[in-house]
Amino acid sequence: MLSKNQIKFIQSLQQKKHRNETGCFVAEGNKLVADLAPVFDCEWLIATDEWLAQHPFLTAKQTITANKEELRKAGGLTTPQDAIAVFRKPKYEFSATDLKGRLTLAVDRIQDPGNLGTIIRLADWFGIENILCSPDTVDLYNPKTVQATMGALARVKVHYLPLDQLLESHPEIPVYGTFLDGDDMYQTELTAEGIIIMGNEGNGISPEIEPLVTKRLYIPNFPEGRETSESLNVAIATAIVCAEFRRRIRQ
């Protein structure tokens, strides 16, 4: 069973301060835990007897049997499920060679954890292995972000670094960004190598990064000239842009 101190520790990982102090994050949900447990170092695997019996090959430093009420107290989901896990944050190295010959996503000051998680899931779907985040982007290990990745976190590496410095040091790499005054994406040449930058939900790409974008794109509405919404949600825009890049590559 879960002790009060264990429940308190799991609950503390809802806060970035405690995630940074401990180097741990929490994942909650039957499928999410099953997807992440084979990939990340698992400190605690907490689940019902039935769930553990169905996943006999998952390992952790400590496996704890819990009932539904204990899982409800420890977790943050409105509808508690059968498994919670505490994982160690992975440490990834990012090299300039990771940019060569492939698409890379970069997010500039994204603030909504659900948006970041969805973008990670989209990257996984479209075969993008690395995401670069500006240092002031929402924390990857926010439980809402982890939840929104739907397990894609196991296959996509996320790096926090100064985007402006990276872009300035690699002027040979095409840099794409979406703008209301950009060129029609469907009429613009797109390459198999490049960095696609998606900007903040309210303000778009930041003033420091905008001059470093070499190819400004616009996602046209339909029909042209029709009065429409001011802009698209950043995760939806990411899906549209990535889909068009991949469509071109397959032709």
Side-chain angles (χ1 to χ4, degrees), residues 145-159:
T145 304
V146 174
Q147 196 72 31
T149 69
M150 297 293 286
L153 196 57
R155 294 171 293 274
V156 178
K157 297 178 181 178
V158 181
H159 315 268

Side-chain angles (χ1 to χ4, degrees), residues 18-89:
H18 293 293
R19 295 194 296 271
N20 288 343
E21 289 175 351
T22 62
C24 294
F25 71 99
V26 64
E28 188 174 353
N30 301 3
K31 186 179 184 304
L32 182 59
V33 171
D35 284 348
L36 299 187
V39 178
F40 299 128
D41 291 336
C42 187
E43 294 288 326
W44 295 352
L45 177 58
I46 309 119
T48 61
D49 279 322
E50 294 80 7
W51 193 90
L52 291 171
Q54 293 168 4
H55 301 82
F57 301 109
L58 298 183
T59 60
K61 290 183 180 178
Q62 186 176 0
T63 300
I64 304 167
T65 301
N67 58 40
K68 290 277 193 178
E69 179 59 19
E70 290 168 336
L71 289 165
R72 183 191 67 78
K73 290 180 180 178
L77 295 179
T78 304
T79 305
Q81 298 193 40
D82 298 324
I84 295 175
V86 174
F87 294 106
R88 282 275 160 201
K89 294 181 185 180

Side-chain angles (χ1 to χ4, degrees), residues 57-148:
F57 301 109
L58 298 183
T59 60
K61 290 183 180 178
Q62 186 176 0
T63 300
I64 304 167
T65 301
N67 58 40
K68 290 277 193 178
E69 179 59 19
E70 290 168 336
L71 289 165
R72 183 191 67 78
K73 290 180 180 178
L77 295 179
T78 304
T79 305
Q81 298 193 40
D82 298 324
I84 295 175
V86 174
F87 294 106
R88 282 275 160 201
K89 294 181 185 180
K91 294 181 180 180
Y92 299 128
E93 296 293 331
F94 182 77
S95 167
T97 57
D98 293 318
L99 297 172
K100 302 297 183 181
R102 67 186 71 182
L103 284 179
T104 302
L105 266 177
V107 294
D108 181 21
R109 300 181 181 179
I110 296 293
Q111 295 302 300
D112 183 86
N115 281 337
L116 179 59
T118 301
I119 289 171
I120 294 169
R121 187 178 177 186
L122 287 165
D124 185 31
W125 183 261
F126 287 110
I128 296 174
E129 298 177 357
N130 292 284
I131 293 181
L132 312 177
C133 298
S134 62
D136 45 4
T137 292
V138 65
D139 183 22
L140 162 65
Y141 297 108
N142 181 306
K144 293 181 179 178
T145 304
V146 174
Q147 196 72 31

Side-chain angles (χ1 to χ4, degrees), residues 99-104 174 176 190-194 245-246 249:
L99 297 172
K100 302 297 183 181
R102 67 186 71 182
L103 284 179
T104 302
Y176 297 89
L190 306 177
T191 59
E193 177 184 86
F245 268 86
R246 289 313 194 202
I249 292 170

